[in-house]
Amino acid sequence: MKVEKLTDLNLQRLTRKSYGEDEVLEQRVTAILKRVREEGEDAIYQLTEEFDHVNLRQNGLRVSDEEIQEGYQEVSEDFLQALRTAKANILRYHEKQKRISWLEPDSDGSILGQLLLPLKRVGIYVPGGTASYPSSVLMNALPAIVAGVREIVMVSPPRVDGTLLPEVLVAAAEAGVTEVYKVGGAQGIAALAYGTENIFPVDKITGPGNIYVTLAKKQVFGTVDIDMLAGPSEILILADESGCPEELAADLLSQAEHDRLASAILVSPSRELLEQTIVAVERQLESLPRVEIARASWETYGAAILVSDLQEGMDLANKIAPEHFELVVKDPYSWLGQVRNVGAVFLGRYSPEPVGDYFAGPNHVLPTGGSARFYSPLNVDMFMKKVSVIGYSEAALKRDAKQIALLARSEGLEAHARAVEVRFREKEDEN
């Protein structure tokens, strides 16, 4: 790793990065979805044994109440307290997002408005495999709870012994998840979208996963709604000379350890800070448990970028549109007004990215791959649907009838025009 000048930088490898499109993988996912749709749980058992090397036929797919209670016995009181505090923070933050239905009467007797209704049944995907994510349970389930969703179904890949991690089970119970199934990958998404003998289909699927999960969500969209097509994790830090290299290195690695394809980028007008942070990253990598993943991410998608000033760095951040954006500068709030294209912004030295991942309250399911230009974090609105309310009075329709009919006929839709005019034809004939 070396310091790169912005003018010499190959932005292509840092921007619009996602898991990519792979025709072979697309076809594999299509085949998995088709099998589950046609064969139901037989296909899920076979695929789980093939991919996860777990035989679930004896114990079944659904997590029992006894398993959840056993999970409580295996976690520490400190973990439970931290989880409950995080839950309270997340609920408090998302409660502020909730909107209500409204109706607005007019003096002519008509009423217009909007109903905001929660979805009935949603599915959340919680990754397994290389790491456990009880925080993802909270971040996906709690906004749905605030929205008023009654049925929250969780799927997650099992461990080799056919169980889920106790921390994940406890998080599901604490978050109000109503059903938990031990199935992951594309087959888990298929079960949520199409249903099986014992798993009823959902209205929406949220939560990140690997490329199989992402491609499966892409393919079932339309049958169900989805939150987003999540790609590898990203962090971009804009720092001035006041930044601490050891702290910045730790923040960069907090994302690099997620995935070999994750991005960790430091931008600064201080060459000395950039060089010292590179050294600190290399030193910290040596003692990191997930060193192979983090090193692959850092060496392939990491960057230390020298800019002429903070303004140039801010412009670059808005161009890259990172998932996580740390502003580690002397007066971060003075730059907040220029933040445009990021998933979440972390202000100052004492707001490292993990604060948002676990505890502060804002959602950690964020747009990636440059989609922060047009997309938002997971939020309460994503678990609600809006219904338009139109209650015209006779006086209002009579007033607007000619203009409505004119617009209808301008589009060549005669029946539309007649549907308005017929309501007054009899009275005109009587006169």
Side-chain angles (χ1 to χ4, degrees), residues 174-237:
E174 292 289 321
V177 173
T178 52
E179 302 166 40
V180 182
Y181 297 94
K182 295 171 279 190
V183 54
Q187 61 270 29
I189 299 300
L192 292 174
Y194 305 130
T196 67
E197 295 88 330
N198 295 292
I199 304 174
F200 293 106
V202 301
D203 301 314
K204 182 165 189 162
I205 300 172
T206 71
N210 63 17
I211 188 169
Y212 283 89
V213 171
T214 301
L215 292 177
K217 286 170 68 177
K218 177 182 176 182
Q219 292 190 30
V220 301
F221 176 66
T223 299
V224 295
D225 190 19
I226 63 171
D227 52 350
M228 62 185 76
L229 296 176
S233 297
E234 305 161 351
I235 186 169
L236 188 151
I237 305 174

Side-chain angles (χ1 to χ4, degrees), residues 354-368:
V355 173
D357 262 357
Y358 297 107
F359 211 75
N363 210 286
H364 78 197
V365 181
L366 302 168
T368 60

